[in-house]
Amino acid sequence: MVLFSLVATHADIDLETVAQLSTGSSRLATSAIAGSPAVAGAVVLATCNRFEIYGEAPHPDDVEAARAALIAQISGSTGLNEQLVSRSFNTRTGSDVSKHLFSVSSGLDSAVVGEREIAGQVRRALITAQHEGTASAGLVRLFQAASKTAKDVGAQTALGSRGLSIVSVALDLATELSENPDWSTKKAVVFGTGAYAGATMSLLRERGCTDVSVYSSSGRAAGFVATRGGTALDGASLPAAVAAADVMIGCSGSDTRVEASELSQVRAGSRQPLIAIDLALTHDFDPAVGELPGIELLTLESVRLAAPQEQSESLEQASSIVAGASGAFEQEREARSVDSAIVALRRHTMNVLDAEMEKVRARHGCTAAAEEVEFALRRMVKQLLHVPTVRARELAANGQQEHYVAALEALYGITVEQPAAPAADAECPIDHTVIAGLDDKRESA
């Protein structure tokens, strides 16, 4: 089995393209696995500025076929040309897969370096894949190791202590642009009820903003504010709230967005300026909103450009932790890859021994002499297997485990079969919907 990833991020392509690629992402993993035997497992990580697919293929030769299957699925769900989709993704294999995901989970690859939200998004991506049955055993181990690495970076470096996030940088920008920086006097309207909306509500409270209204096109606003405070809005009450707002923050990424023409009508009688913060990858606010008089539009690109640079020492420490964790993960994975071969050799050898002992017992019975012979033979077999076992580990550590497997087949006719990946329920027998809900609460706390 081999891990691979397809990566499209803010660092390589524009956010508009990232948003288009992620259309229909919730069905991608299931469809790809059902449609191609080359895709043995898949986990999709879609955030405000990245769209990444982590997959597992049965063999290195299957990676290209798995990639083609995923590209075709994305093209079909988005309507984008397959060549454009293919060009938008960087493909990683080998140690580059773990090194990148560990960096992502730790916030080192974010627009705001060291951000907090991404670690929770990585956890939820795995939980979703497990719930849908698309997370192979190898991908489960990869994502669990990524989450552990993120915790180590947060605990051992200064990156975790600053508490920076995309939301916090956006609110800092809004403070700088406001005529009155006092958030306790502001009226805010938040669009959305997801993790970003929860984090936004928490940070608004920290800054003293208590007049917060929440709108959700899905109708979940009432339940959202019940645990976080604020006022729930519906379609009828939204226009008046927006007309009176000092700040409106888009966190939903829904199909319904605020058009410039609609906002112009709603705000026709308002004299105070409005700051619109659009944190949704697919845009909650029409980009033309920023051209309206008295309205300042902040986007994810604005946040990326305004994000403070972290101290080089903290980055070096975090990068060192990520590199060490990636190296350890790869060594463990390589060692694990020869386990089946070692088991196959031992089984083959012990089957030969058992067959010979049956002949001894048939001739001499279960006598003390027969027991002595069996004891001696088993001790001899154990000694004979020691060197091949050690050699298997050494070859795996050097990435040459396939030579060992080939040798077993050539010398003994042993065909090594990889164990089937455990079912999602066997890998993680937990109600993932409950865990996801708890994760959302922790992220927004």
Side-chain angles (χ1 to χ4, degrees):
M1 303 292 280
V2 59
L3 297 177
F4 66 92
S5 62
L6 276 62
V7 176
T9 76
H10 63 94
D12 303 312
I13 59 177
D14 63 277
L15 293 176
E16 195 67 43
T17 302
V18 175
Q20 290 177 313
L21 291 171
S22 63
T23 302
S25 61
S26 61
R27 302 180 298 275
L28 175 62
T30 303
S31 300
I33 290 175
S36 173
V39 184
V43 178
V44 176
L45 176 62
T47 74
C48 65
N49 55 13
R50 71 179 65 251
F51 181 49
E52 304 183 358
I53 306 110
Y54 291 82
E56 189 164 19
H59 190 273
D61 294 341
D62 294 319
V63 171
E64 191 55 41
R67 184 185 192 278
L70 289 164
I71 294 299
Q73 288 285 346
I74 295 169
S75 175
S77 63
T78 62
L80 297 173
N81 180 275
E82 280 197 26
Q83 291 184 341
L84 171 62
V85 174
S86 182
R87 288 197 305 269
S88 299
F89 285 100
N90 289 321
T91 305
R92 289 175 166 82
T93 56
S95 60
D96 289 340
V97 177
S98 60
K99 190 177 299 181
H100 177 73
L101 179 59
F102 293 4
S103 294
V104 168
S105 184
S106 302
L108 301 186
D109 194 61
S110 298
V112 178
V113 176
E115 66 154 315
R116 297 178 298 182
E117 288 98 342
I118 185 63
Q121 291 166 331
V122 169
R123 288 197 306 273
R124 286 192 292 275
L126 173 60
I127 289 171
T128 299
Q130 288 179 303
H131 184 67
E132 295 175 350
T134 66
S136 62
L139 289 171
V140 170
R141 286 190 288 270
L142 174 69
F143 272 71
Q144 288 176 341
S147 293
K148 181 182 183 302
T149 303
K151 291 179 182 177
D152 291 342
V153 168
Q156 299 175 32
T157 73
L159 292 180
S161 62
R162 291 194 61 180
L164 289 176
S165 67
I166 288 176
V167 178
S168 68
V169 174
L171 294 184
D172 288 342
L173 273 176
T175 302
E176 294 175 6
L177 293 171
S178 297
E179 296 179 359
N180 178 10
D182 184 1
W183 282 89
S184 66
T185 65
K186 297 184 185 301
K187 296 180 180 180
V189 175
V190 175
F191 291 76
T193 55
Y196 265 133
T200 299
M201 293 287 285
S202 178
L203 287 172
L204 285 173
R205 285 197 302 271
E206 287 181 13
R207 294 168 189 244
C209 183
T210 57
D211 193 341
V212 182
S213 300
V214 178
Y215 172 75
S216 171
S217 59
S218 62
R220 291 195 290 260
F224 181 80
V225 301
T227 57
R228 294 172 175 83
T231 302
L233 300 173
D234 55 21
S237 57
L238 177 62
V242 171
D246 301 289
V247 180
M248 66 177 190
I249 305 171
C251 309
S252 72
S254 66
D255 295 333
T256 309
R257 71 176 184 178
V258 177
E259 299 295 335
S261 57
E262 297 172 339
L263 185 60
S264 179
Q265 294 178 359
V266 169
R267 298 281 299 184
S270 301
R271 295 185 177 181
Q272 79 269 28
L274 173 69
I275 297 177
I277 304 174
D278 196 347
L279 300 180
L281 184 58
T282 52
H283 296 309
D284 278 340
F285 309 141
D286 179 359
V289 161
E291 301 173 8
L292 297 176
I295 298 178
E296 188 77 39
L297 176 63
L298 300 178
T299 64
L300 287 168
E301 183 65 15
S302 308
V303 173
R304 186 182 69 82
L305 294 174
Q309 295 296 318
E310 290 296 322
Q311 293 181 354
S312 58
E313 182 179 354
S314 297
L315 285 176
E316 288 177 6
Q317 290 176 339
S319 298
S320 177
I321 293 172
V322 166
S326 175
F329 176 81
E330 292 302 325
Q331 286 183 355
E332 180 183 352
R333 177 173 166 76
E334 288 166 355
R336 189 187 297 270
S337 68
V338 296
D339 284 351
S340 296
I342 293 172
V343 169
L345 176 59
R346 288 178 176 172
R347 183 184 296 117
H348 171 81
T349 307
M350 296 309 295
N351 285 342
V352 172
L353 172 61
D354 290 340
E356 291 301 315
M357 283 308 304
E358 284 298 320
K359 295 177 183 178
V360 171
R361 294 189 189 96
R363 180 176 301 178
H364 302 287
C366 296
T367 63
E371 291 180 1
E372 286 291 334
V373 170
E374 181 174 2
F375 177 77
L377 287 176
R378 291 191 182 278
R379 184 170 57 186
M380 181 184 70
V381 168
K382 183 178 180 181
Q383 292 174 346
L384 289 175
L385 288 175
H386 175 70
V387 172
T389 300
V390 171
R391 192 70 181 122
R393 301 295 187 194
E394 292 173 348
L395 288 170
N398 293 324
Q400 298 175 302
Q401 56 269 26
E402 69 277 4
H403 297 331
Y404 187 85
V405 173
L408 291 185
E409 186 169 357
L411 294 174
Y412 300 103
I414 298 174
T415 300
V416 179
E417 297 182 359
Q418 294 293 333
D425 290 341
E427 181 68 38
C428 187
I430 296 174
D431 187 342
H432 297 118
T433 57
V434 174
I435 299 297
L438 293 175
D439 266 346
D440 285 340
K441 291 180 181 179
R442 281 197 292 265
E443 287 300 310
S444 61

